Amino acid sequence: MSELRWDPLKQHWVIIATDRGRRPRDFQVEPETGTLTNCPFCYGNEDKTPPEIFAIRPDGEPNQANWRVRVIPNKFPALRIEGDLRTRGYGPYDVMEGIGAHEVIIETPDHDRQLADLSLPEITDVLIAYRTRILDLRGDPRFRYLVLFKNHGKRAGSPISHSHSQLIAVPLTPPVAATELRVCQEFYEAKERCIFCDVVQFEIAEGTRVVREFGNFVTVTPYASCFPFELRLYPKRHSYDFALLSDAELMELAQALKDMLCRVKSVLRDPPYNFILHTAPPRQQRLGKPEYWGSIEYDYHWHIELVPRLTQIAGFEWGTGFYINPTSPEDAAVFLREVELDFV
Amino acid sequence: MSELRWDPLKQHWVIIATDRGRRPRDFQVEPETGTLTNCPFCYGNEDKTPPEIFAIRPDGEPNQANWRVRVIPNKFPALRIEGDLRTRGYGPYDVMEGIGAHEVIIETPDHDRQLADLSLPEITDVLIAYRTRILDLRGDPRFRYLVLFKNHGKRAGSPISHSHSQLIAVPLTPPVAATELRVCQEFYEAKERCIFCDVVQFEIAEGTRVVREFGNFVTVTPYASCFPFELRLYPKRHSYDFALLSDAELMELAQALKDMLCRVKSVLRDPPYNFILHTAPPRQQRLGKPEYWGSIEYDYHWHIELVPRLTQIAGFEWGTGFYINPTSPEDAAVFLREVELDFV
């Protein structure tokens, strides 16, 4: 059973995932990585995972080989699908059961190819799997926010080297999303514009932090980057919900995403990285309160955020929430722009 | 020059410390570590650091050997002492010069002894150096908050192995501190009690997360720990400001601190860790606004927070601000309590 616990001093919820029960010695060994023969994400090992939720395969039965993208429940989920959403008090704290969903998107059957290495049709398939699972999980009214993210490399938190992403549905709006959703709505109420549209237009006009434009997409190094070589990928035209993109739009996004991943891989020699998709929650789930539902189509702007894991989060950053970045985003953009790519 | 940049979407300031100018290849090599002969923090190498700000030495001249604790300015400071506090606009963003102070507290002249290994009088000296520097930097009205922290081990962000702590003065209240200061005041206004006193009393009565009591001090694993084996060290009696502690109180704190560090070292085999001191800012600097000054003596409670760096902060945590902790604090407390220590 996992549990959500509220810290009244820090004002945040934490997931205590005791199912994963880590003892001191578990932190002293490197986690095992799969090999071609025993990796549960490889062809032929479909029975080593829980039954699939979704797959893209030309034909054939579920849970057999011959798939291109496969989505399964996480075998050690941080949150479970069954349980009770009510919170209860415990001394000065609050606690609730750890309700949610935790899925793994296996991006390719090939053990040795990472997302950046896949072809454009293959990356488009991955994006279609993202869209499909997001639309499905939105049907559960208990989930208030969906977090789609990828950890690449051990130092970015991925013990399994076979390329995959994750989708976690949570029963409350996480703090980073809550701030973003509130800022967008307040800006819209004051100015009747999308704040992200302002930022994107300013960055394109300014140019010093633009890494690449690709049709309707632009990749920039954020002005107030917390980490060296941080990147954001925005649609240029206003678009609030990733899950509403057409297949043609996902094909264009696949190009922009592959371009971003290949530049990072080239400049920083295949660093560990994390990326996360920020997209609008279903309007009636926005911050859980009707007063926030109104304008989400107009005020929010979906995007992807990527951070290469080059530096350690040290005492200062963790203790203050205040980041020190040793590489200016303008310098990072110069290095990232210089890469010559030949895939398109 | 470093710069503070405001992200209007994420609502945070970031320090872009371009003086440290990191290029892509700088992230591909391990930082150099000092050895006994070239370490700038060792005896005899006092001229390899900027001139000292403060030292505890029985006798002798500044910047010579024979010191017990030595405080110097950081050679590569994240923030500089000179400059202008005013912010200016830049498109949708704000920016200000990176004003502040950044000091290094060298805890011992011995290259091979870490803070946990020092004797109680030696740790007391370190705490006296903390107090002295905090009281001095408070005299500069440009600084709104002081962050005293320690990074132990490379994975906790410390490239230099010679034992040291850091003190950074910042011209604005960092987000974590701002939340804490606001919560304490709101709780006090509603109940005329200190919220930390409630938490400490509840934890002592409950017992399951108490690791050790030591006179006026108690070490606990926090109920909503974000990380495995996270610890907090609290004074049991209400006390809002670390810098007001007497020498006798610092001697008692030295015992509790050494106990905490030795337990972590023993259970987790000398893991990398960070600790940070949370203490009250000068009342007239609290959140920069007079309405927050009133009750700080009554509503705030200083403490030390420690996190062993056992897990990676991955995409989910970074992208949401929502943490998944695989070890319950109750289990962590059991392991930490079991350690037999012989220093007291």
Side-chain angles (χ1 to χ4, degrees), chain A residues 42-86:
Chain A
C42 280
Y43 265 179
N45 292 344
E46 286 78 7
D47 60 340
K48 292 187 183 157
T49 70
E52 70 194 33
I53 298 166
F54 172 77
I56 300 178
R57 52 162 61 78
D59 49 55
E61 292 296 301
N63 301 307
Q64 304 296 321
N66 200 27
W67 47 273
R68 297 205 304 264
V69 176
R70 187 165 184 255
V71 183
I72 56 171
N74 192 309
K75 209 168 175 177
F76 304 102
L79 298 164
R80 293 193 174 276
I81 209 94
E82 307 84 15
D84 186 348
L85 272 182
R86 282 170 302 187

Side-chain angles (χ1 to χ4, degrees), chain B residues 88-133:
Chain B
R88 56 183 198 279
Y90 168 56
Y93 313 117
D94 298 281
V95 57
M96 68 189 283
E97 287 179 37
I99 309 304
H102 191 161
E103 303 184 354
V104 177
I105 298 113
I106 310 171
E107 297 156 359
T108 166
D110 292 348
H111 190 84
D112 295 320
R113 289 167 73 223
Q114 295 297 320
L115 187 55
D117 308 323
L118 301 186
S119 69
L120 295 176
E122 288 170 321
I123 295 177
T124 307
D125 280 347
V126 172
L127 296 174
I128 289 172
Y130 290 177
R131 185 183 63 189
T132 307
R133 292 311 306 146

Side-chain angles (χ1 to χ4, degrees), chain A residues 197-209:
Chain A
C197 284
D198 271 25
V199 166
V200 169
Q201 282 162 27
F202 179 78
E203 290 300 340
I204 290 173
E206 181 74 6
T208 50
R209 286 172 295 273

Side-chain angles (χ1 to χ4, degrees), chain A residues 81 85 99-101 135-144 282 285:
Chain A
I81 209 94
L85 272 182
I99 308 305
L135 288 171
D136 185 49
L137 284 172
R138 278 188 189 165
D140 191 324
R142 297 173 307 161
F143 303 150
R144 197 164 287 164
Q285 288 166 25

Side-chain angles (χ1 to χ4, degrees), chain A residues 3-18 20-24 27-28 78 90-95 147 149 151 154-157 168 170 172 174-177 179-180 183 195-196 199 202-203 206 208-209 223-229 232 234 267-269 274-276 278 305-307 309-316 318-330 335, chain B residues 3-18 20-24 27-28 78 90-95 147 149 151 154-157 168 170 172 174-177 179-180 183 195-196 199 202-203 206 208-209 223-229 232 234 267-269 274-276 278 305-307 309-316 318-330 335:
Chain A
E3 216 172 59
L4 297 184
R5 297 183 176 190
W6 172 251
D7 186 328
L9 299 161
K10 299 207 177 273
Q11 298 276 301
H12 62 206
W13 289 95
V14 173
I15 302 172
I16 307 284
T18 44
R20 303 176 156 197
R22 300 278 290 269
R23 298 164 62 92
F27 297 107
Q28 290 152 13
Y90 168 56
Y93 313 116
D94 299 280
V95 57
V147 189
F149 63 102
N151 302 335
K154 271 191 207 175
R155 271 175 55 206
I168 297 187
V170 289
L172 35 83
V176 170
T179 299
E180 197 180 68
V183 162
I195 184 172
F196 277 101
V199 166
F202 179 78
E203 290 300 340
E206 181 74 6
T208 50
R209 286 172 295 273
Y223 173 70
S225 294
C226 289
F227 302 101
F229 294 88
R232 290 196 199 146
Y234 295 112
V267 170
L268 300 164
R269 300 192 197 170
N274 304 115
F275 74 60
I276 183 161
H278 288 232
E305 303 191 0
L306 183 144
V307 172
R309 287 282 152 220
L310 304 168
T311 50
Q312 297 296 335
I313 295 181
F316 180 78
W318 158 70
T320 63
F322 195 24
Y323 287 80
I324 303 174
N325 179 352
T327 305
S328 82
E330 295 77 19
F335 288 108
Chain B
E3 218 172 58
L4 297 184
R5 297 183 176 189
W6 173 250
D7 185 328
L9 299 161
K10 298 204 177 278
Q11 299 275 302
H12 63 203
W13 289 95
V14 173
I15 302 172
I16 307 283
T18 45
R20 304 175 156 196
R22 301 279 289 269
R23 298 164 63 93
F27 297 107
Q28 292 153 11
Y90 168 56
Y93 313 117
D94 298 281
V95 57
V147 189
F149 64 102
N151 301 336
K154 271 190 207 174
R155 270 176 55 206
I168 297 187
V170 289
L172 34 84
V176 171
T179 299
E180 196 179 69
V183 162
I195 184 172
F196 277 101
V199 166
F202 178 77
E203 290 299 340
E206 182 72 7
T208 50
R209 287 171 295 273
Y223 174 70
S225 295
C226 289
F227 302 101
F229 294 89
R232 289 196 200 146
Y234 294 111
V267 170
L268 300 163
R269 301 193 197 169
N274 303 115
F275 74 62
I276 183 161
H278 288 233
E305 302 190 1
L306 183 143
V307 172
R309 287 284 151 220
L310 303 169
T311 50
Q312 298 295 335
I313 294 180
F316 180 77
W318 158 72
T320 62
F322 196 24
Y323 287 81
I324 303 174
N325 179 353
T327 305
S328 83
E330 295 76 18
F335 288 110

Side-chain angles (χ1 to χ4, degrees), chain A residues 94-294:
Chain A
D94 299 280
V95 57
M96 68 190 283
E97 287 179 37
I99 308 305
H102 191 162
E103 303 185 353
V104 176
I105 298 112
I106 310 171
E107 298 156 358
T108 166
D110 292 349
H111 190 83
D112 295 320
R113 289 167 74 223
Q114 294 299 320
L115 187 55
D117 308 323
L118 301 187
S119 70
L120 295 176
E122 288 171 319
I123 296 177
T124 305
D125 280 347
V126 173
L127 297 174
I128 289 171
Y130 290 177
R131 185 183 63 189
T132 307
R133 293 310 307 145
I134 288 171
L135 288 171
D136 185 49
L137 284 172
R138 278 188 189 165
D140 191 324
R142 297 173 307 161
F143 303 150
R144 197 164 287 164
Y145 198 79
L146 303 177
V147 189
L148 193 147
F149 63 102
K150 179 174 171 67
N151 302 335
H152 169 75
K154 271 191 207 175
R155 271 175 55 206
S158 179
I160 293 177
S161 63
H162 194 126
S163 199
H164 67 283
S165 327
Q166 298 179 67
L167 177 57
I168 297 187
V170 289
L172 35 83
T173 313
V176 170
T179 299
E180 197 180 68
L181 289 165
R182 201 169 286 127
V183 162
C184 287
Q185 188 174 41
E186 284 168 5
F187 190 92
Y188 185 81
E189 278 172 3
K191 309 201 178 179
E192 296 197 11
R193 299 198 304 270
C194 162
I195 184 172
F196 277 101
C197 284
D198 271 25
V199 166
V200 169
Q201 282 162 27
F202 179 78
E203 290 300 340
I204 290 173
E206 181 74 6
T208 50
R209 286 172 295 273
V210 173
V211 173
R212 180 74 196 259
E213 293 185 62
F214 238 117
N216 186 39
F217 295 100
V218 60
T219 305
V220 303
T221 54
Y223 173 70
S225 294
C226 289
F227 302 101
F229 294 88
E230 190 176 332
L231 285 160
R232 290 196 199 146
L233 171 52
Y234 295 112
K236 288 196 248 179
R237 285 189 302 278
H238 183 76
S239 173
Y240 73 105
D241 187 0
F242 166 85
L244 298 181
L245 296 191
S246 67
D247 286 5
E249 290 170 312
L250 291 182
M251 280 173 65
E252 192 175 64
L253 174 59
Q255 287 197 320
L257 182 61
K258 182 174 168 81
D259 179 85
M260 176 166 77
L261 297 176
C262 288
R263 285 175 193 279
V264 166
K265 186 174 178 178
S266 168
V267 170
L268 300 164
R269 300 192 197 170
D270 195 18
Y273 68 78
N274 304 115
F275 74 60
I276 183 161
L277 172 68
H278 288 232
T279 189
R283 57 148 56 201
Q284 70 282 14
Q285 288 166 25
R286 169 140 145 172
L287 299 171
K289 293 191 186 115
E291 61 264 37
Y292 292 109
W293 297 353

